[in-house]
Amino acid sequence: MGRTIGMFEVTKNHFFRAALEIGQSGENDTLPYDIDAAFIKDKAENLSSICIALFREIEAGIVGKPVAFMNGLNVASERLLVPSGSHGFRITARMHPFWNLYLNGLGLAIAEANERNRSSRVHSYRLGGEGLDFFDRKISWRTYKEATINEHALTKEDGIVIQTDIASFYEHIYHHRLENIIKDLAPDNSTIAMQIDRILSKLAAGRSFGLPVGGQCARVLAEVMMTPIDRSLSDAGIIWHRYVDDFTLICSSQQEGYKALSVLSHALADYGLSLNRSKTTFLSAKHYKDFIAVQLGEGDDASSALRELDLHFDPYSDNARAEYHKLKMSFESINISFLLDLEIEKSHPDAFVVAQIGRALKFQEPKVAKQLCVTLLDPNNLDAFRASWSKIMRGVYAVRSGSEFETIFPILDNLLDQIPAKAAHLLVPEANILHYLRAIRFTRTEIRGAFVRQTYDRTSSPAVRRACIDCWRYWKDRANFTRLRNQWFNLTPDEQRMLWLAAEAFGDEGSKMRTQLRGSLIESWRLGIESDKKLSFASCYEEWAHNAV
């Protein structure tokens, strides 16, 4: 790929925009929204100043040799288990909030430099979002599918369509090859490619491959990695479309299809990637059109209307944002309860339909929401719906946090309390338990009190322990607050920050704790980038927590 450095420059605005986007979407969309994201948004001005100062100091060599400095940093992160489908799992990285912000800011600058190199045949994560969004939501998985069926080549009787995807895409991205592509985008003396490479290596526990799942920077970097591969397909004269790691190749015959697949395989192999053989299918043009019609919700299927509703569906993200009032009106014409009953009868429920139902909960009237929650949270059904656990729990959380649903809170709380005893296996993956803890933090029951205490004492995950502290913060559980305050120096920095925030709920005792421990914060929460200046991550958090509600 030729050098196209053009207007490439990392600015404070990249980090500022990244901070606002994190505040809107969260730090990692496979995990529930964490209050650290609100901190990042609220302190966007100060934190973006720290980020750009750090970047410029590394670029200028003020901190010493850039590579040595980056190698010496402790980029804190935690690897968490996230369900993938009904039977699979994958690993996501929960990063320290500062490093998540720093990486996202660099990612946004790289995305802007790379966008001009991307083909119009790519439909995933195109820049140009409105408001706080990085990405243009008008270009989506749906427009990807629609673009394929509008290709003129599909009108030929012997036309062939190949659907395929890349095997374990994020996990197999090789850092050094990605570093070289980023170097091609940046000026010769820039350290940005090296910085990205060193941070990714630390997040991957020293391995030289793999992107952290769930964050916006990973999406940007994956698209950067694919840009030269996309170009190879276009140069070979192939008609193709792509959404992240999903490819659709449109060919005039079986023979041409086989050739096109060979070209794609070679292009991927050059970057250490390969196709998923079990997901590679050849379809006739007619069969492909019929198949896509079903995927897009056309026809007489009972779930068609639900499928057609645009909740800004992204198959690679757990988040869904929508215009509330417009969608609320749309749901009035759909019998959601009937559709859910249909899914229960199936031996293999449609994960997409169940996910849409979970996302639709907050748009229902309380009586309908209650019926849906009773069905979704039934222990027998929960196991069948396990592929959609995060979407269901997000939906339940949205209902439980909405004052308009207050009349059904007791029923909802009773349903949630049954889960640890009747569906304990679903609470083994850390991501699942984080979603569950967020849903139960509104009120304390005897069952919840025992569950959260036992979970905190047994888990090795700082993220899970942090979520337990958040429950005690909501419940104003003084006994557990006092217990942890006495163990302050044994807590991880993540837990300390949550306990520091929780102190506000405990009056005099909390104030006394903050007074006694304030002097230790700079050292306890240091990132290894601090200078003599007063502004630091620790000082930003302390000031924010003092005023946080």
Side-chain angles (χ1 to χ4, degrees):
M1 189 162 70
R3 297 186 69 79
T4 52
I5 60 176
M7 298 292 291
F8 187 94
E9 182 185 4
V10 178
T11 68
K12 178 181 175 181
N13 191 52
H14 289 122
F15 297 110
F16 186 78
R17 282 188 60 200
L20 297 184
E21 199 280 334
I22 287 170
Q24 172 182 264
S25 305
E27 299 166 305
N28 181 312
D29 68 16
T30 64
L31 305 176
Y33 187 92
D34 189 282
I35 198 165
D36 270 351
F39 155 63
I40 293 293
K41 179 192 71 174
D42 292 344
K43 302 299 289 184
E45 177 65 30
N46 287 344
L47 291 172
S48 58
S49 293
I50 297 173
C51 286
I52 190 60
L54 173 63
F55 179 78
R56 288 171 178 165
E57 287 172 3
I58 296 172
E59 287 274 272
I62 294 172
V63 293
K65 291 185 178 179
V67 175
F69 177 78
M70 292 301 297
N71 284 339
L73 288 176
N74 176 23
V75 180
S77 67
E78 180 183 357
R79 290 160 63 82
L80 303 173
L81 196 64
V82 178
S84 179
S86 297
H87 306 291
F89 298 92
R90 58 180 176 167
I91 295 293
T92 190
R94 183 186 180 277
M95 276 184 267
H96 185 285
F98 176 82
W99 292 115
N100 187 67
L101 170 60
Y102 190 72
L103 196 57
N104 277 13
L106 295 183
L108 180 57
I110 292 167
E112 288 178 351
N114 187 57
E115 189 65 27
R116 69 177 70 88
N117 298 331
R118 301 178 71 194
S119 168
S120 60
R121 295 182 178 278
V122 178
H123 306 272
S124 43
Y125 308 124
R126 304 304 305 242
L127 287 189
E130 297 178 2
L132 303 182
D133 289 329
F134 281 4
F135 306 121
D136 186 346
R137 285 154 65 182
K138 295 188 293 294
I139 304 174
S140 63
W141 180 84
R142 176 174 283 271
T143 61
Y144 157 59
K145 291 297 183 181
E146 289 172 343
T148 63
I149 59 176
N150 288 328
E151 284 287 357
H152 177 70
L154 280 185
T155 60
K156 297 180 181 179
E157 286 187 15
D158 55 352
I160 291 293
V161 179
I162 302 169
Q163 292 194 120
T164 188
D165 69 15
I166 303 170
S168 302
F169 178 39
Y170 274 30
E171 293 91 329
H172 287 161
I173 288 180
Y174 182 38
H175 297 163
H176 185 59
R177 289 191 176 94
L178 177 61
E179 182 183 14
N180 286 336
I181 298 171
I182 296 172
K183 281 180 180 177
D184 288 340
L185 296 168
D188 287 332
N189 59 350
S190 176
T191 67
I192 188 169
M194 179 276 294
Q195 290 191 46
I196 292 286
D197 177 72
R198 294 295 83 207
I199 292 173
L200 290 180
S201 178
K202 290 173 184 293
L203 294 175
R207 292 185 297 274
S208 57
F209 52 87
L211 296 181
V213 171
Q216 299 292 42
C217 187
R219 293 187 167 95
V220 165
L221 295 178
E223 295 299 326
V224 169
M225 186 75 178
M226 291 306 299
T227 299
I229 296 170
D230 296 337
R231 185 170 289 178
S232 294
L233 297 182
S234 294
D235 288 349
I238 295 169
I239 299 175
W240 62 277
H241 290 271
R242 180 175 66 79
Y243 191 95
V244 189
D245 61 351
D246 286 337
F247 275 97
T248 301
L249 310 179
I250 300 170
C251 307
S252 59
S253 66
Q254 285 271 3
Q255 293 82 359
E256 290 301 314
Y258 191 78
K259 275 198 230 173
L261 203 57
S262 299
V263 171
L264 174 56
S265 296
H266 268 298
L268 291 171
D270 287 340
Y271 290 87
L273 301 170
S274 60
L275 291 176
N276 190 333
R277 285 177 291 181
S278 65
K279 292 186 179 178
T280 300
T281 58
F282 280 64
L283 295 171
S284 69
K286 180 183 184 310
H287 286 155
Y288 178 74
K289 287 179 180 177
D290 292 343
F291 176 70
I292 295 304
V294 173
Q295 273 196 315
L296 296 181
E298 299 170 10
D300 298 325
D301 186 83
S303 62
S304 293
L306 186 61
R307 288 176 178 275
E308 287 176 356
L309 278 178
D310 183 9
L311 291 165
H312 301 296
F313 171 66
D314 176 351
Y316 297 87
S317 171
D318 270 352
N319 280 346
R321 295 191 296 278
E323 296 177 42
Y324 182 86
H325 294 294
K326 183 178 176 183
L327 276 173
K328 187 173 175 65
M329 291 180 62
S330 300
F331 279 115
E332 289 177 0
S333 61
I334 303 174
N335 189 335
I336 302 288
S337 298
F338 172 68
L339 294 179
L340 183 54
D341 289 340
L342 287 180
E343 293 305 318
I344 293 171
E345 296 300 319
K346 297 178 181 178
S347 56
H348 298 288
D350 187 322
F352 174 62
V353 173
V354 176
Q356 290 288 74
I357 291 171
R359 289 163 169 166
L361 286 176
K362 66 181 178 182
F363 300 108
Q364 310 305 308
E365 295 302 318
K367 183 178 178 182
V368 176
K370 181 189 80 171
Q371 292 171 340
L372 292 171
C373 287
V374 166
T375 302
L376 288 168
L377 296 178
D378 178 277
N380 295 321
N381 295 338
L382 262 183
D383 187 66
F385 298 154
R386 61 187 176 275
S388 303
W389 171 273
S390 62
K391 284 83 168 178
I392 291 170
M393 283 299 156
R394 285 183 193 274
V396 169
Y397 171 83
V399 171
R400 187 57 183 81
S401 61
S403 58
E404 67 271 32
F405 297 102
E406 189 173 359
T407 56
I408 67 170
F409 285 174
I411 293 168
L412 199 54
D413 287 336
N414 182 55
L415 291 167
L416 288 167
D417 280 352
Q418 294 178 41
I419 291 175
K422 297 183 178 178
H425 63 292
L426 296 177
L427 296 176
V428 174
E430 291 91 350
N432 280 8
I433 199 168
L434 289 173
H435 281 288
Y436 179 71
L437 287 168
R438 187 174 187 236
I440 67 170
R441 71 185 185 185
F442 295 99
T443 189
R444 188 189 193 280
T445 66
E446 189 173 344
I447 290 172
R448 294 178 189 187
F451 174 78
V452 173
R453 171 63 187 265
Q454 290 166 20
T455 297
Y456 183 88
D457 290 346
R458 292 172 183 170
T459 186
S460 61
S461 165
V464 173
R465 289 200 295 267
R466 176 183 168 84
C468 292
I469 297 171
D470 200 26
C471 287
W472 294 328
R473 175 172 78 98
Y474 269 78
W475 301 344
K476 297 188 176 180
D477 189 320
R478 189 172 293 275
N480 280 298
F481 171 76
T482 304
R483 181 170 72 102
L484 293 189
R485 184 263 171 270
N486 292 333
Q487 300 173 23
W488 172 265
F489 292 105
N490 295 325
L491 304 181
T492 64
D494 263 3
E495 293 171 76
Q496 287 179 348
R497 287 201 315 276
M498 184 60 82
L499 191 64
W500 187 269
L501 185 65
E504 184 68 27
F506 298 95
D508 232 24
E509 190 178 354
S511 297
K512 208 171 286 184
M513 183 200 95
R514 286 182 172 179
T515 300
Q516 292 170 345
L517 295 173
R518 184 168 282 111
S520 71
L521 297 187
I522 296 296
E523 188 59 36
S524 295
W525 297 347
R526 67 179 288 107
L527 302 178
I529 62 170
E530 289 76 9
S531 64
D532 294 333
K533 300 167 188 172
K534 289 184 179 179
L535 192 61
S536 68
F537 174 84
S539 65
C540 286
Y541 191 89
E542 182 193 351
E543 182 183 343
W544 174 79
H546 179 72
N547 299 308
V549 177

